[in-house]
Amino acid sequence: MHPSLNSSQNGPGRRWPKSGANWPQVPVLHSQETENLPAHDRIYSSLRKMILYNEIQPGSWLRQTEVSEQFQVSRTPIREAFRSLSQEGLVEIVPNHGVQVSALSVEEFEEVYALRKGIEGLAARLVAQQISAEQVSALEAKLAALEGFVDSAELREYLRYEWQFRVDCYSLLGRDRLLARILFLREHSERYIYLAYGAKTKVAESFDFHRRLLGAIQRRNGDRAEVINQEALEWTLNNATPIVIDIVNQSLD
């Protein structure tokens, strides 16, 4: 997490000090994914990822001059990127103040997870009903590899691999539109997921859901696979909601 964006105490953009030495610095993402994109798309994609991964924290203020300097572009694509982020609900454009990263919201968390439970439950059920023996063997190998990260990996690394396991499951359906919707909702829950893992035992509990899911898939039990996936998502919701509530309350103090 970028240390200079740990709070919103700097206040609205117009109240920042004139000395640039005290301004929060927006880290630039240099990657093959963004370097060849048009300026608006590159800035939008980079800021979007940093917001979703909490590298720019909720409540932080973004200012055109700083972002322009960091990305070495004019203010026009910056304004376009801010508008795109605003349409997605990731920032709020405050007249006469600036652009603020949207706060965490219990309501948003509940809504996103309600949608995820429906669509990922459906995907798990369909996978269990349609999977071949060869595909089951491939998933067994991937789950065995995931188990190796339960005790040794950093949380972000474990979560990356456990999500890849589920994406591999869903991809077996060959339904690109369904997968795109699943990925979109997962991205928008990223800001909340880490809050559910307050102890190492939580990683073991998370892995157990994946083990049970594969068991249902092996038995071609679509109904059970659907329920297990929904239980896993409900587990995350239940673990993280009290923390989200505390964060929201602290922001109101």
Side-chain angles (χ1 to χ4, degrees), residues 53-68:
Y53 284 88
N54 286 322
E55 291 172 13
I56 302 177
Q57 287 212 334
S60 298
W61 289 87
L62 303 176
R63 123 177 225 156
Q64 288 185 26
T65 53
E66 280 299 299
V67 178
S68 178

Side-chain angles (χ1 to χ4, degrees), residues 60-167:
S60 298
W61 289 87
L62 303 176
R63 123 177 225 156
Q64 288 185 26
T65 53
E66 280 299 299
V67 178
S68 178
E69 289 173 8
Q70 289 287 313
F71 285 91
Q72 296 295 296
V73 296
S74 69
R75 295 192 184 188
T76 299
I78 301 293
R79 287 194 292 268
E80 293 173 352
F82 285 167
R83 280 196 293 268
S84 295
L85 292 168
S86 176
Q87 290 169 358
E88 207 170 336
L90 294 177
V91 303
E92 181 183 0
I93 299 175
V94 184
N96 301 319
H97 285 268
V99 175
Q100 187 176 35
V101 177
S102 299
L104 296 179
S105 160
V106 176
E107 291 80 5
E108 179 190 35
F109 188 27
E110 291 174 340
E111 291 162 7
V112 168
Y113 267 74
L115 293 169
R116 287 191 66 187
K117 285 170 66 177
I119 198 167
E120 290 187 48
L122 169 66
R125 175 163 55 84
L126 294 175
V127 168
Q129 292 171 347
Q130 300 175 22
I131 196 167
S132 68
E134 193 173 343
Q135 290 170 333
V136 168
S137 296
L139 286 182
E140 288 171 346
K142 290 173 181 177
L143 186 70
L146 175 62
E147 188 172 13
F149 291 96
V150 172
D151 295 321
S152 60
E154 292 294 324
L155 177 58
R156 177 167 294 204
E157 187 178 22
Y158 167 77
L159 289 175
R160 179 161 61 89
Y161 282 101
E162 68 88 20
W163 175 239
Q164 187 59 54
F165 173 79
R166 276 194 276 170
V167 170

Side-chain angles (χ1 to χ4, degrees), residues 27-35 42 46 70-71:
V28 180
L29 294 184
H30 294 291
S31 71
Q32 294 180 344
E33 292 181 21
T34 61
E35 63 184 6
R42 176 165 55 88
S46 296
Q70 289 287 313
F71 285 91

